[in-house]
Amino acid sequence: MKLFIKKSTAFFISFLLAFTPALAWAMPLQGQTVLIAAPSQIAAEAGEDIYRKGGNVFDAAVVVALTLAVTSPYFASLGGGGFAMLKKNGEEVQALDFRETAPAATDETYFMNLKSGNSWTGGPAIGVPGIPAGLFEIHKKYGKLPWDRLFKTPLELANRGFQVSGEWFNYTRKESPRFNLAGKKYLLKKDGQFYKPGDTLIQPQLVGALNLFKDKKLKGFYEGVVAKDIVKSTVAAGGVLSEEDLKNYRVIWRQPLTYKIKDQTLHLMPPPSSGGLIIKTALELVQRKNVSQQGFLHADETHLLAEVLEKSFRSRSVLGDPDFSNLPTQSLLSDKYLNELSKSIRISSSKKLEPLSEKTLPKESTETTHFVVMDSKGEAVSMTITLNGNYGSGVVSDKFGIALNNEMDDFTTQPDKANKYGLIQGQANLVKAGKRPLSSMSPTLVTDVNNKAVLALGAPGGPRIISGVFQALYRIMFNDLDIEQAIMAPRVHHQFAPDILYLEENRFSPNVVKILQKKGQQIKNIRNVAKVCGVRVNKEGLLEAYSDYRGEAGVSGY
Ligand code: DON
């Protein structure tokens, strides 16, 4: 494989360095056959390996996810959930929803009777995991190689061990005070010390779970000893998950939201993600306000991007699981509503809008990871998976060592109270048995006139996912930047409430910050706005991958 940085990128990097003195970044990788952009080099290479052995992009995606379950359990263990956007040649793009669901014994009042931390740490925070069902479904529908072949590398890494990364060490150290006993047993050394970067971690308990999933497929995870282990550990930590909940878990195929820009079609994640709708709104608004006419990173451009995001995020509070409420998606994407939002955006100042409620809408006629696999045939997988917080609920199953999510915190758990991501959620997102919590995950795929995938991207980062994915798309579609330039560019975030414009620290000039303040923006600095990764077909027809320097990153392919 050949790694090189293009000339134009070198200029761009020197320009960025003026603002960012101490950054390191992943290199863009170009290839002719298949490329993988992932949050870990081991996982990206495992995906490349299976493709070289005759697998397709779907096999590679399953291998990347299973590898991450071993090497990055904080956001990708089998105890989480996710969304994927998939493009198979000759078929339309499909969105797969394998998000966690609320256990049958929960309802709207479930968290109101518990302490506020209970939706974050411990058994009550745990939703029914969807990742194993999602991976199995992808393989069943699109896979080429036999299912058991996909387990070879993940099993080797769990069995013989892998060297933990700096990210693994940092996340594990930070979250370890929330671990139950099994978490401490499997993730810390016997003497209670942490595995440090470069130390080898072996996980025999996980080998057991992976073998059962490999041999018995869905029944190996959702029934039998693994299911019993998950239920027992959740209940011991105060939760209400049952074996029945696990047995009843189903993935859902959904119709992506689509949006045409020039001769390309964007395929965006529909509810229960808020991502697609907000990104679509933001793309409409940047065009209505001609934002690309402003200079790159000029104060006016930054202000308008912030305003666009703020107004677009206003919709989030009326969204939830489409199978449980009638969502006003049509009204939110109507010309009438978009014009109203567009009119409220001014270049000179920041005009505030009232929060949205059903009444104010025109009448109708929400730690995670993302990776992309794309090949030169035009097939692609864009997948975001998560446990919500790093290591989710802090509960690790006793026998098989599966870290369990805290996705229940993505529901409206206490009315009018912000969740961990500062989001105040609405009625449509109240807890209900079997319901999926509103998400911000935004796996995105773009096809060309020949119905081939030409761009796929996504990100972790809670609500900042939406801002990150939107700005990367905007930079590619309207500023004509390459994928690495588009992802490297400094980003802003505004989620409507609270009324704060978040800027990536040290990446905007003090002068720009002053002008933004004069326009009425309340500014806070944050380390970064999401961690985007993607693969794109460039102008020369080559595949090009980039994984954000804002965290651990890997790219692989040929
Ligand atoms: O689904 C969601 O929107 C959240 N559970 C995602 C959490 C996340 O991205 C945390 N990442 N850093």
Side-chain angles (χ1 to χ4, degrees), residues 332-466:
L332 295 168
L333 293 169
S334 67
D335 266 337
K336 184 162 189 271
Y337 183 63
L338 293 169
N339 285 338
E340 186 192 315
L341 290 183
S342 176
K343 262 192 221 135
S344 74
I345 298 177
R346 297 175 188 158
I347 200 154
S348 54
S349 61
S350 180
K351 178 178 154 60
K352 299 301 151 203
L353 296 175
E354 283 301 309
L356 204 56
S357 69
E358 298 288 346
K359 285 184 215 131
T360 55
L361 275 173
K363 284 254 173 350
E364 234 168 348
S365 47
T366 74
E367 269 100 20
T368 304
T369 194
H370 185 85
F371 68 87
V372 166
V373 185
M374 190 159 118
D375 71 4
S376 53
K377 295 179 205 147
E379 299 196 323
V381 178
S382 184
M383 187 187 297
T384 314
I385 44 183
T386 188
L387 266 68
N388 194 21
N390 279 325
Y391 285 111
S393 60
V395 178
V396 172
S397 77
D398 191 43
K399 234 178 161 170
F400 292 98
I402 298 168
L404 297 166
N405 68 82
N406 58 355
E407 221 68 57
M408 294 295 283
D409 192 63
D410 276 352
F411 279 116
T412 309
T413 53
Q414 313 271 350
D416 301 327
K417 258 191 157 174
N419 74 356
K420 276 274 170 184
Y421 304 109
L423 294 165
I424 297 176
Q425 319 232 44
Q427 291 281 332
N429 193 31
L430 284 163
V431 183
K432 203 160 185 190
K435 189 170 164 179
R436 296 168 191 226
L438 183 62
S439 174
S440 299
M441 294 189 290
S442 309
T444 298
L445 218 148
V446 179
T447 49
D448 66 4
V449 279
N450 302 315
N451 200 19
K452 304 271 183 211
V454 289
L455 170 65
L457 77 179
R464 296 175 200 168
I465 294 172
I466 297 171

Side-chain angles (χ1 to χ4, degrees), residues 265-537:
T265 306
L266 280 69
H267 305 265
L268 305 162
M269 193 67 208
S273 175
S274 57
L277 190 137
I278 298 176
I279 292 170
K280 190 165 171 171
T281 307
L283 290 167
E284 276 282 350
L285 293 176
V286 282
Q287 292 179 90
R288 283 161 198 252
K289 301 310 286 188
N290 258 324
V291 179
S292 59
Q293 298 301 304
Q294 308 295 335
F296 179 64
L297 292 182
H298 187 281
D300 286 344
E301 189 213 36
T302 310
H303 169 73
L304 286 175
L305 287 175
E307 289 293 301
V308 160
L309 279 168
E310 178 189 354
K311 295 344 179 223
S312 305
F313 258 92
R314 187 177 183 231
S315 305
R316 201 181 189 282
S317 65
V318 294
L319 298 178
D321 185 337
D323 300 335
F324 285 75
S325 323
N326 228 333
L327 303 179
T329 31
Q330 260 187 329
S331 308
L332 295 168
L333 293 169
S334 67
D335 266 337
K336 184 162 189 271
Y337 183 63
L338 293 169
N339 285 338
E340 186 192 315
L341 290 183
S342 176
K343 262 192 221 135
S344 74
I345 298 177
R346 297 175 188 158
I347 200 154
S348 54
S349 61
S350 180
K351 178 178 154 60
K352 299 301 151 203
L353 296 175
E354 283 301 309
L356 204 56
S357 69
E358 298 288 346
K359 285 184 215 131
T360 55
L361 275 173
K363 284 254 173 350
E364 234 168 348
S365 47
T366 74
E367 269 100 20
T368 304
T369 194
H370 185 85
F371 68 87
V372 166
V373 185
M374 190 159 118
D375 71 4
S376 53
K377 295 179 205 147
E379 299 196 323
V381 178
S382 184
M383 187 187 297
T384 314
I385 44 183
T386 188
L387 266 68
N388 194 21
N390 279 325
Y391 285 111
S393 60
V395 178
V396 172
S397 77
D398 191 43
K399 234 178 161 170
F400 292 98
I402 298 168
L404 297 166
N405 68 82
N406 58 355
E407 221 68 57
M408 294 295 283
D409 192 63
D410 276 352
F411 279 116
T412 309
T413 53
Q414 313 271 350
D416 301 327
K417 258 191 157 174
N419 74 356
K420 276 274 170 184
Y421 304 109
L423 294 165
I424 297 176
Q425 319 232 44
Q427 291 281 332
N429 193 31
L430 284 163
V431 183
K432 203 160 185 190
K435 189 170 164 179
R436 296 168 191 226
L438 183 62
S439 174
S440 299
M441 294 189 290
S442 309
T444 298
L445 218 148
V446 179
T447 49
D448 66 4
V449 279
N450 302 315
N451 200 19
K452 304 271 183 211
V454 289
L455 170 65
L457 77 179
R464 296 175 200 168
I465 294 172
I466 297 171
S467 301
V469 171
F470 157 66
Q471 282 163 91
L473 280 169
Y474 167 77
R475 297 285 180 212
I476 292 170
M477 298 281 176
F478 297 104
N479 289 172
D480 213 19
L481 296 190
D482 289 341
I483 191 156
E484 67 271 28
Q485 298 168 332
I487 292 175
M488 287 176 75
R491 296 196 279 261
V492 304
H493 173 66
H494 201 308
Q495 60 186 49
F496 187 72
D499 177 22
I500 293 171
L501 166 56
Y502 298 91
L503 297 179
E504 289 187 319
E505 62 189 1
N506 301 327
R507 305 213 63 201
F508 293 85
S509 82
N511 210 17
V512 165
V513 176
K514 253 190 233 153
I515 298 171
L516 292 171
Q517 282 165 331
K518 271 198 196 140
K519 288 176 192 282
Q521 299 285 4
Q522 308 293 318
I523 293 179
K524 254 197 186 158
N525 286 320
I526 45 172
R527 225 173 127 216
N528 54 51
V529 173
K531 182 180 137 189
V532 179
C533 74
V535 180
R536 183 192 186 200
V537 177

